[in-house]
Amino acid sequence: MRAVTVESFGGPEVLEIAETVVPEPAARQVRIKVAAAALNPVDAGVRSGVFGGAGKRLGLGWDVSGTVDAVGVATGWSVGDEVVALAYGADKSFGTHADYVVVDTDAVAKAPASADAVHAATLPLNALTASQALDLLALEPGQSLLVTGAAGAVGGYAVQLAAHRGISVTAVAREADEALVRSLGAARVVSGAVEPRSVDAVLDAALLGEAALEWVRDGGVFSGVIPGAQPASVRGVRTDAVEVSPDGARLAELVALVDEGVLTLRVAETYALDEAAKAHARLAEGGLRGRLVLVP
């Protein structure tokens, strides 16, 4: 099978399409024939060496949609099931940017009935990140949340999920994205200055750090999206950062919200697997409103 890998770090030019044997699932694992796999900033981080791994051959890709084509024992899944999954980890030999991927059964959920495989591939990593970040914030209906990077993938899901929970959402986004983030459920949109100490919580998907922390009221809560990179606590504000984890049960809940029309799946462009370097170059250009998706 083909798999996108890196053995030396750098720009898109270091990506390789490796030929390797098709992996076999062990107990409580399934093999998925990949139909589509989203490209995320974390993949660019792996490629450029942000997460280390020098001297190893590293596989790329965390999101997958496709069809179960082999199962280990005690999986609960059957060959032919259409699924989505999160293949967690920056230090893995092969990821979802491949013809096949093996994942643990508890990372898998039934694919959305209302979406094609390309759109479904944009759900696992970013929606789980947004959902688990909201868990850290532990807001009640009626409380206020400010989301930075609200037009992005994680931020967009966070806006929708928070609004669905009855939380009042202020979105930080460019003026050109105001209509988009309002359509996602933001009650208020700001593109510049935010009143200090004006919200109960901040979900900082844009990595603004201490600047965004200033917008949280005394005793409020802040969540970043890079573990360990959150600012230090001030004024009694609890600061934390989400580290996404595979969770098939939660992913199934998110799939249900897609089918109910609560969550919007956004695809910017698609590329063939062999065009992974072009996709990485496009990602580096920025300005995307939706995910790039690789299709084997």
Side-chain angles (χ1 to χ4, degrees):
M1 74 166 191
R2 299 168 300 158
V4 180
T5 65
V6 292
E7 197 167 12
S8 59
F9 300 134
E13 72 281 355
V14 303
L15 294 174
E16 300 178 34
I17 307 297
E19 291 287 344
T20 186
V21 297
V22 176
E24 294 296 332
R28 298 193 58 76
Q29 290 185 324
V30 299
R31 186 174 69 209
I32 300 170
K33 181 175 174 55
V34 178
L39 173 64
N40 291 283
V42 67
D43 297 306
V46 173
R47 186 204 73 223
S48 58
V50 169
F51 303 101
K56 299 180 180 179
R57 181 173 291 278
L58 301 174
L60 302 183
W62 294 50
D63 288 312
V64 62
S65 65
T67 305
V68 174
D69 90 317
V71 298
V73 298
T75 68
W77 295 97
S78 301
V79 172
D81 287 340
E82 294 184 359
V83 297
V84 290
L86 177 67
Y88 175 85
D91 184 12
K92 51 184 182 271
S93 298
F94 299 102
T96 64
H97 296 171
D99 291 314
Y100 296 89
V101 66
V102 167
V103 297
D104 294 339
T105 56
D106 57 8
V108 182
K110 185 178 179 181
S114 59
D116 60 29
V118 169
H119 284 80
T122 67
L123 182 70
L125 175 59
N126 295 287
L128 280 171
T129 299
S131 181
Q132 292 171 6
L134 290 174
D135 289 348
L136 290 178
L137 296 174
L139 296 174
E140 298 291 335
Q143 287 191 283
S144 58
L145 170 68
L146 185 146
V147 178
T148 71
V154 172
Y157 284 132
V159 170
Q160 291 189 304
L161 289 168
H164 183 64
R165 297 181 185 185
I167 296 164
S168 176
V169 180
T170 296
V172 178
R174 299 174 183 173
E175 291 183 8
D177 291 319
E178 179 172 355
L180 168 62
V181 294
R182 286 194 182 278
S183 75
L184 299 177
R188 179 173 174 242
V189 182
V190 294
S191 58
V194 177
E195 182 181 350
R197 308 183 188 187
S198 60
V199 293
D200 294 312
V202 162
L203 197 167
D204 185 23
L207 312 181
L208 301 184
E210 292 181 357
L213 181 61
E214 289 301 311
W215 303 332
V216 183
R217 64 167 173 80
D218 294 357
V221 60
F222 172 103
S223 178
V225 295
I226 298 180
Q230 67 270 25
S233 175
V234 295
R235 299 181 287 103
V237 176
R238 175 171 61 85
T239 63
D240 210 336
V242 63
E243 181 169 4
V244 68
S245 60
D247 185 340
R250 176 63 61 88
L251 185 54
E253 294 172 2
L254 296 168
V255 166
L257 293 177
V258 171
D259 287 337
E260 292 169 18
V262 174
L263 293 181
T264 303
L265 306 175
R266 294 182 287 158
V267 174
E269 300 174 37
T270 60
Y271 291 82
L273 186 68
D274 292 339
E275 296 178 313
K278 291 182 180 179
H280 276 248
R282 177 64 187 91
L283 179 65
E285 293 173 3
L288 296 168
R289 291 298 173 258
R291 280 286 173 244
L292 303 175
V293 179
L294 299 179
V295 180

